[in-house]
C-alpha cells in the first residue's frame, strides 16, 4: 500500500464531491440556517443560555431583619446574582442589577415577607414567595437552588439557636466557619445548566449534519462512481484495492472534517458557542464521530442499489439517529427511555460527550468512554466498509 | 506483449470463454471479432485484471495478471466497453484523473492531457462536461482516458459502438497512432468492416470459443477460391436448401425470408446455374451481388449465422 496513491484518490474524491453545488449548500448554508432556527427556537438569544446571568430579584421589607441578608448571601452562594429591592420601592434596586430594570423585569423573583426574622425568632413560620418565568426544566433547577439557599439559612438558624441564640452575631460567626456538609446542587460537572439555545443547537445540528452530509453526498458519489463504471475502470489501473478503499475513506473523512470545521467556526463567530475548556477533547470526539460517519457512508455507498435508495436511507437514518441521539433537543430533558436509547446510539454518545465537555465542564476525561465507543464504531464499521466495498 | 494461454472463464454454469489462446505482439493491432455474447469482453477483462480466470494463464509484458496484477496493470491502458467517465467533470478533469491514476503528475500530466485533447478533437470543448456531449464525443473521451499515460498495451473493448461515421474514422486513426508509436493494441469489435480495415491479426470468437484465427489473408484463404453471391428478394427457406442440396462446390451460407447468401467456387461462371436453381425453388429475385469473400461470409460459413445478429 502506497500512501501517495491513496492520497491521490482521496484528493480527487473530495474535489469531486465539492464540485456539487447541493453538497456545498448542505455543507455551509443549511447548517447555518438550522443553527439559527433551532437555536432561536430553543432560546438562543433569550434567557436560558448558559451565559445569561442568573439574576434573582428579592423584595425585602424594611422590617425583614438580618435573616433576609443571610438568605441573600446563601442565594449568591448558590450561584445567583442577587438584585435587592426594598419592598416599598420595587422600581429601583437597592443593590445589584441595573437601575432602570424594575423588580417585575426580572424572571426569578423572591418576595420576603414582612417581619421575617422576628417570625422565625418567635418560632412562627414564614412564607417565601418564589416565582420564575424560565421553562420547566430550568425552573425545576432554579427551584432546587433557591430551596438550597433557604435550607442553608434554616440550618444556620438551627445551628445559631443551639450555639446560644439566634442573633446576628452568632449567624455571622457561623458564616465564618467552613461547612462540614454542604449540599451541592448541580449535574455532574462544574456548570449546572442543561444546554439550551445555541450551545445545544450548534453542536447538535453539526453532529446530525456530519452524518447527513456523509450519508447523502458522501455515499451517493461513491454509488455514482460505482454504477457509472468509474470504480471498475479504476480497478484496472495500477492501484491496489487497499489504496482505493483507503483513499475513498480518507476523501470522505476529509468531507466530514470540512463540515465540522465550518460548523465550529460558524458556531463561534455567529452564535457565540463556547468550545472551551476542553477544546482538544472536543476535537478528538468529533474526529472519532467523523470517522464513524465516514465508515457508514462507504458501507451505504457500496451496498445501495439505486440512487434513491442511498439518499433515502441516508436522509432517514441521519434524521432518526439525530433525533433519537439528542441532536434536536438536549436528551437530558427527554423521558428516561429515550435517554437510555440515546446511550446506545453513536449520535447519543457524541452528544453526551459534547455536553459533558461543553456544558457540564466535567473535564476532558469525562468524555473518554464516548470517545472510545466512537473509535470502536469507526473501526468496526470500517471493517464492514472494506468488506462491502464493490467496484461494480 | 499479451500472451493468453488456454483461458477459461465460467460464470456459474455459463462458460463465457473456453480454451482461448493467442499472442498479440507490439506494433500490432490484434482483433477479437465476434457477435454479442461471444466472450470478447470476458477475455479482455481477464487480461485487464477485472475478472479472475477460472483456469488458464494470462500475462502482459511478462507479468502474470493473477500473481503480479500491479505489474501487469502498469503496462496497460484500458478502454472499457461501457463508458466509464465522470459525467459531471470536464473532459480535461477526466483526463487528468485517469492520467493521475496511472501515476502521471504535474507538468508531464498537463502536457499529456493537452496532447490527448487535441488528438481526440476535444480541445475546444475541454472545459465542457461529458453530460453535454454527443455519443461520439463521449466515446472519444472514453478512449482518450485510456491513452493519457501512453500505455505499452492498449485494451479497447468495442470503442466505436454507437459512434457516428466521422467520429469512428477519427477514432480508428488514433488507434493506428498508438500502434505507430509501438504499442500493442487488442481491439474487440462486432463490426467486421472495422476488423478488416484495422487489424493485422485476428481471432474470431463465438460462444466463448475461438473459431478461426490468423492474419486477414490467412482468414480469406480459409474461404478458398470462393465468391459470395448475395441475393435479396423473397424466398422459401426449405425449398432453397433443397435446390442446392448436393450441388458440387456450393454452400448455402444464409437463408432468410428476404436474403440468401451462397458461397461457390468460380461463381462468376456459374451465375446462370445458381440463379436458375433459385428461381426454380420459387424465389422472387430482386437484386444480386457477387463479392469477394469477407469476414462476414467466413463467419457465416463457420457458424451458419450472420455476425450482426
Ligand atoms: N458478470 C457476468 N456474470 C454472468 N454472466 C456473464 C457476465 N459477464 C458476461 N456474462 C456472459 O458471458 C457471455 C459472454 O459475454 P461477453 O464476454 O460480455 O460477450 P461479448 O463482449 O463478446 O459481447 C454472455 O453470455 C454473457 O451473458
Ligand atoms: Mg462485450
Amino acid at each position: 500500500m502506497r500512501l501517495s496513491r491513496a492520497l491521490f484518490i482521496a484528493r480527487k474524491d473530495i474535489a469531486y464531491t465539492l464540485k456539487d453545488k447541493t453538497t456545498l449548500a448542505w455543507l455551509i448554508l443549511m447548517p447555518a440556517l438550522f443553527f439559527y432556527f433551532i437555536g432561536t427556537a430553543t432560546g438562543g438569544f433569550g434567557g436560558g443560555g448558559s451565559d445569561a446571568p442568573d439574576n434573582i430579584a428579592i423584595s425585602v421589607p424594611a422590617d425583614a431583619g438580618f435573616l433576609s441578608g443571610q438568605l441573600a448571601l446563601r442565594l449568591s452562594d448558590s450561584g445567583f446574582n442577587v438584585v435587592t429591592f426594598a419592598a416599598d420601592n420595587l422600581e429601583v434596586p437597592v443593590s445589584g442589577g441595573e437601575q432602570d430594570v424594575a423588580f417585575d423585569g426580572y424572571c426569578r423573583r423572591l418576595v420576603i415577607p414582612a417581619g421575617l426574622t422576628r417570625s422565625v425568632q418567635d418560632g412562627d413560620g414564614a412564607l417565601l414567595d418564589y416565582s420564575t418565568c424560565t421553562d420547566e426544566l430550568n425552573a425545576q433547577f432554579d427551584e432546587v437552588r433557591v430551596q438550597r439557599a433557604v435550607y442553608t439559612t434554616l440550618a444556620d438558624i438551627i445551628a445559631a439557636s443551639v450555639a446560644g441564640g439566634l442573633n446576628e452575631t452568632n449567624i455571622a460567626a457561623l458564616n465564618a466557619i467552613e461547612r462540614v456538609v454542604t449540599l451541592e446542587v448541580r449535574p455532574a460537572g462544574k456548570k449546572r445548566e442543561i444546554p439550551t439555545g445555541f450551545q445545544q443547537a450548534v453542536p447538535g445540528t453539526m453532529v446530525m449534519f456530519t452524518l447527513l452530509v456523509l450519508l447523502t453526498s458522501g455515499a451517493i458519489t461513491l454509488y455514482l462512481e460505482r454504477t457509472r463504471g468509474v470504480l471498475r475502470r479504476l480497478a484496472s489501473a495500477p492501484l491496489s484495492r487497499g489504496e482505493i478503499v483507503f483513499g475513498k475513506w480518507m476523501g470522505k473523512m476529509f468531507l466530514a472534517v470540512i463540515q465540522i470545521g465550518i460548523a465550529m467556526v460558524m458556531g463561534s463567530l455567529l452564535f457565540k458557542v463556547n468550545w472551551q475548556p476542553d477544546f482538544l477533547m472536543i476535537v478528538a470526539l468529533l474526529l472519532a464521530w467523523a470517522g464513524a460517519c465516514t465508515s457508514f457512508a462507504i458501507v451505504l455507498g457500496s451496498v445501495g442499489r439505486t440512487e434513491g435508495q442511498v439518499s433515502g436511507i441516508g436522509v432517514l437514518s441521519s434524521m432518526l439517529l439525530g433525533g433519537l441521539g439528542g441532536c434536536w433537543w438536549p436528551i437530558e430533558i427527554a423521558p428516561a427511555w429515550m435517554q437510555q436509547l440515546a446511550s446506545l446510539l453513536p449520535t447519543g454518545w457524541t452528544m453526551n460527550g459534547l455536553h459533558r465537555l461543553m456544558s457540564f465542564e466535567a473535564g476532558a476525561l469525562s468524555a473518554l468512554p464516548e470517545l472510545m465507543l466512537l473509535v470502536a464504531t469507526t473501526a468496526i464499521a470500517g471493517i464492514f466498509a472494506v468488506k462491502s466495498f464493490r467496484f461494480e | 506483449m499479451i500472451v493468453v494461454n488456454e483461458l477459461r472463464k465460467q460464470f456459474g454454469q455459463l462458460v463465457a470463454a473456453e480454451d482461448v489462446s493467442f499472442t498479440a505482439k507490439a506494433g500490432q493491432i490484434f482483433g477479437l471479432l465476434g457477435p454479442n455474447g461471444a466472450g470478447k469482453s470476458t477475455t479482455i477483462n481477464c487480461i485487464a485484471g477485472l475478472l479472475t480466470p477460472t483456469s488458464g494463464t494470462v500475462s502482459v509484458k511478462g507479468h502474470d495478471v493473477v500473481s503480479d496484477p500491479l505489474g501487469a496493470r502498469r503496462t496497460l491502458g484500458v478502454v472499457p466497453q461501457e463508458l466509464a467517465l465522470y459525467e459531471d467533470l470536464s473532459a480535461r478533469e477526466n483526463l487528468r484523473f485517469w492520467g493521475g491514476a496511472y501515476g502521471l503528475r504535474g507538468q508531464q500530466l498537463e502536457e499529456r492531457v493537452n496532447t490527448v485533447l487535441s488528438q481526440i478533437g476535444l480541445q475546444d470543448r475541454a472545459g465542457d462536461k461529458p453530460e453535454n456531449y454527443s455519443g461520439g464525443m463521449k466515446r472519444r473521451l472514453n478512449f482518450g482516458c485510456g491513452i493519457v499515460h501512453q500505455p505499452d498495451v492498449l485494451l479497447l473493448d468495442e470503442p466505436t459502438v454507437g459512434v457516428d461515421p466521422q467520429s469512428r474514422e477519427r477514432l480508428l486513426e488514433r488507434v493506428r497512432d498508438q500502434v505507430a508509436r509501438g504499442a500493442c493494441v487488442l481491439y474487440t469489435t462486432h463490426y467486421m468492416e472495422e476488423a478488416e480495415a484495422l487489424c493485422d491479426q485476428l481471432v474470431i470468437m463465438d460462444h466463448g470459443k475461438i473459431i478461426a484465427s490468423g492474419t486477414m489473408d490467412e482468414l480469406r484463404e480459409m474461404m478458398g477460391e470462393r465468391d459470395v453471391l448475395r441475393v435479396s428478394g423473397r424466398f422459401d427457406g426449405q425449398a432453397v436448401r433443397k435446390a442446392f442440396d448436393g450441388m458440387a462446390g456450393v454452400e448455402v451460407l444464409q437463408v432468410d425470408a428476404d436474403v440468401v447468401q451462397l458461397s461457390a467456387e468460380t461463381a462468376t461462371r456459374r451465375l446462370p446455374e445458381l440463379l436458375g436453381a433459385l428461381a426454380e425453388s420459387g424465389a422472387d429475385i430482386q437484386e444480386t451481388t457477387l463479392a469477394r469473400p469477407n469476414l462476414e461470409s467466413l463467419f457465416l460459413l463457420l457458424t451458419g449465422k450472420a455476425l450482426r445478429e
Side-chain angles (χ1 to χ4, degrees):
Chain A
M1 171 115 114
R2 282 261 294 277
L3 195 62
S4 62
R5 294 201 283 247
L7 279 172
F8 167 80
I9 298 292
R11 200 156 48 80
K12 291 291 179 182
D13 186 72
I14 190 69
Y16 177 58
T17 310
L18 293 182
K19 276 255 146 78
D20 183 33
K21 303 234 165 27
T22 329
T23 301
L24 287 179
W26 282 97
L27 216 51
I28 302 168
L29 200 63
M30 296 310 257
L33 289 177
F34 272 69
F35 289 167
Y36 179 75
F37 286 122
I38 298 182
T40 315
T42 55
F45 290 124
S50 64
D51 293 335
D54 293 315
N55 288 330
I56 185 167
I58 58 174
S59 133
V60 185
D63 62 350
F66 65 85
L67 276 184
S68 66
Q70 186 67 13
L71 192 56
L73 182 70
R74 293 305 172 202
L75 281 170
S76 74
D77 281 355
S78 291
F80 286 116
N81 178 24
V82 182
V83 183
T84 312
F85 288 84
D88 51 11
N89 178 9
L90 293 177
E91 292 304 315
V92 183
V94 178
S95 69
E98 289 172 24
Q99 288 302 305
D100 54 354
V101 181
F103 183 75
D104 289 344
Y106 286 88
C107 172
R108 305 182 188 83
R109 296 189 295 257
L110 186 67
V111 177
I112 292 173
L116 169 73
T117 307
R118 193 169 15 88
S119 315
V120 173
Q121 279 172 331
D122 293 352
D124 300 335
L127 193 65
L128 298 167
D129 179 10
Y130 173 69
S131 67
T132 180
C133 68
T134 50
D135 56 70
E136 198 186 337
L137 178 83
N138 279 314
Q140 278 180 12
F141 208 86
D142 290 347
E143 210 174 302
V144 175
R145 288 157 70 205
V146 172
Q147 276 172 7
R148 183 180 74 162
V150 173
Y151 286 135
T152 318
T153 312
L154 278 176
D156 292 341
I157 293 168
I158 294 163
S161 308
V162 171
L166 177 56
N167 56 50
E168 205 164 351
T169 329
N170 277 340
I171 289 278
L174 274 173
N175 288 344
I177 308 170
E178 220 173 297
R179 288 302 146 98
V180 181
V181 184
T182 51
L183 171 66
E184 284 287 320
V185 186
R186 63 159 80 141
K190 290 186 204 123
K191 273 199 201 168
R192 58 313 44 79
E193 272 190 60
I194 289 165
T196 56
F198 295 125
Q199 199 72 5
Q200 151 73 23
V202 171
T205 310
M206 173 179 77
V207 164
M208 195 193 68
F209 267 73
T210 311
L211 188 61
L212 186 67
V213 168
L214 268 280
L215 289 192
T216 52
S217 294
I220 287 171
T221 47
L222 188 64
Y223 169 83
L224 288 179
E225 288 177 294
R226 171 161 61 87
T227 50
R228 286 178 182 169
V230 173
L231 287 184
R232 183 181 162 77
R233 188 170 190 170
L234 208 51
S236 69
L239 298 158
S240 71
R241 179 188 160 91
E243 285 160 359
I244 295 174
V245 179
F246 187 51
K248 284 290 165 201
W249 192 90
M250 282 195 297
K252 315 269 173 237
M253 176 74 180
F254 197 55
L255 177 67
V257 169
I258 291 176
Q259 201 273 337
I260 289 172
I262 291 176
M264 286 182 81
V265 170
M266 214 149 53
S268 307
L269 297 183
L270 300 181
F271 304 106
K272 304 280 174 282
V273 174
N274 181 9
W275 306 98
Q276 299 295 340
D278 297 304
F279 179 71
L280 286 182
M281 188 62 174
I282 291 176
V283 169
L285 193 72
L286 289 175
L287 282 179
W289 169 238
C293 293
T294 303
S295 298
F296 294 153
I298 301 268
V299 173
L300 181 59
S302 295
V303 303
R305 286 178 196 284
T306 63
E307 188 175 345
Q309 190 188 47
V310 172
S311 67
I313 292 177
V315 170
L316 265 181
S317 56
S318 40
M319 293 290 166
L320 214 60
L321 282 172
L324 294 176
C327 295
W328 295 94
W329 52 79
I331 201 70
E332 287 86 350
I333 67 166
W337 68 266
M338 268 182 83
Q339 297 195 20
Q340 274 163 10
L341 182 60
S343 71
L344 299 175
L345 303 174
T347 36
W349 303 333
T350 314
M351 288 312 293
N352 274 343
L354 285 177
H355 280 185
R356 270 196 225 145
L357 295 171
M358 294 171 60
S359 297
F360 304 146
E361 290 180 12
L365 290 183
S366 67
L368 201 59
E370 278 83 5
L371 178 66
M372 303 216 297
L373 281 170
L374 288 171
V375 169
T377 307
T378 304
I380 293 170
I383 292 170
F384 273 103
V386 172
K387 292 237 184 277
S388 65
F389 195 93
R390 286 193 287 148
F391 286 93
E392 54 191 311
Chain B
M1 283 290 209
I2 307 174
V3 181
V4 178
N5 192 21
E6 292 182 8
L7 171 70
R8 179 186 174 86
K9 179 65 192 179
Q10 236 172 301
F11 297 107
Q13 289 299 308
L14 186 127
V15 182
E18 191 176 8
D19 200 18
V20 175
S21 303
F22 60 84
T23 301
K25 300 191 188 76
Q28 195 180 49
I29 303 184
F30 194 99
L32 276 183
L33 175 68
N36 282 333
K40 306 184 295 296
S41 292
T42 302
T43 304
I44 219 166
N45 288 338
C46 285
I47 301 170
L50 295 174
L51 290 174
T52 310
T54 308
S55 68
T57 59
V58 178
S59 73
V60 184
K61 251 195 140 183
H63 303 277
D64 187 280
V65 296
V66 176
S67 62
D68 181 14
L70 286 190
R73 283 189 230 147
R74 256 189 278 278
T75 68
L76 286 178
V78 180
V79 178
Q81 178 176 356
E82 309 294 339
L83 291 172
L85 299 168
Y86 284 101
E87 293 273 329
D88 38 8
L89 292 184
S90 70
R92 183 180 291 281
E93 286 165 323
N94 268 287
L95 293 171
R96 271 192 200 134
F97 178 80
W98 292 109
Y102 282 84
L104 296 186
R105 297 283 188 280
Q107 187 63 28
Q108 194 192 11
L109 176 61
E110 284 312 301
E111 278 168 18
R112 281 300 302 156
V113 166
N114 286 328
T115 309
V116 172
L117 277 171
S118 65
Q119 280 178 339
I120 58 179
L122 288 178
Q123 66 271 57
D124 296 338
R125 304 281 306 266
D128 282 3
K129 297 170 181 177
E131 59 194 9
N132 304 321
Y133 282 179
S134 70
M137 292 166 76
K138 285 186 193 180
R139 280 279 157 200
R140 264 142 59 195
L141 180 59
N142 196 42
F143 170 78
C145 290
I147 60 164
V148 183
H149 61 294
Q150 296 187 286
D152 292 335
V153 177
L154 186 56
L155 307 179
L156 304 176
D157 197 357
E158 310 219 22
T160 58
V161 168
V163 168
D164 56 282
Q166 218 181 338
S167 268
R168 170 189 296 216
E169 212 31 65
R170 176 165 228 153
L171 225 110
L172 296 187
E173 269 316 303
R174 298 291 81 81
V175 174
R176 291 194 185 96
D177 291 348
Q178 296 300 309
V179 181
R181 66 166 181 85
C184 164
V185 176
L186 185 67
Y187 191 103
T188 83
T189 181
H190 68 272
Y191 298 121
M192 65 102 196
E193 309 93 326
E194 230 174 70
E196 263 179 355
L198 200 64
C199 299
D200 305 303
Q201 185 97 23
L202 203 59
V203 153
I204 302 179
M205 291 185 76
D206 190 35
H207 293 305
K209 293 196 188 107
I210 293 179
I211 54 172
S213 67
T215 61
M216 274 310 301
D217 287 340
E218 285 167 349
L219 289 171
R220 280 205 196 90
E221 232 161 68
M222 288 177 71
M223 289 289 290
E225 277 303 297
R226 289 157 177 266
D227 297 319
V228 177
L229 179 65
R230 186 189 153 91
V231 188
S232 59
R234 207 158 301 123
F235 308 98
D236 171 2
Q238 259 181 331
V240 171
R241 288 195 187 279
K242 212 168 145 203
F244 292 100
D245 201 22
M247 191 182 287
V250 179
E251 194 128 15
V252 180
L253 294 177
Q254 180 190 16
V255 188
D256 280 344
D258 55 356
V259 67
V260 166
Q261 292 204 66
L262 306 169
S263 101
E265 287 165 23
T266 60
T268 353
R269 262 178 281 150
R270 295 172 70 183
L271 214 48
E273 179 192 357
L274 296 171
L275 290 178
L278 264 183
E280 251 168 59
S281 76
D284 168 17
I285 299 175
Q286 282 165 3
E287 201 183 327
T288 63
T289 41
L290 193 60
R292 298 288 301 154
N294 57 19
L295 290 175
E296 178 86 51
S297 40
L298 177 60
F299 192 80
L300 273 171
L301 180 70
L302 293 171
T303 66
K305 64 181 185 192
L307 193 53
R308 296 176 181 284
E309 281 158 15

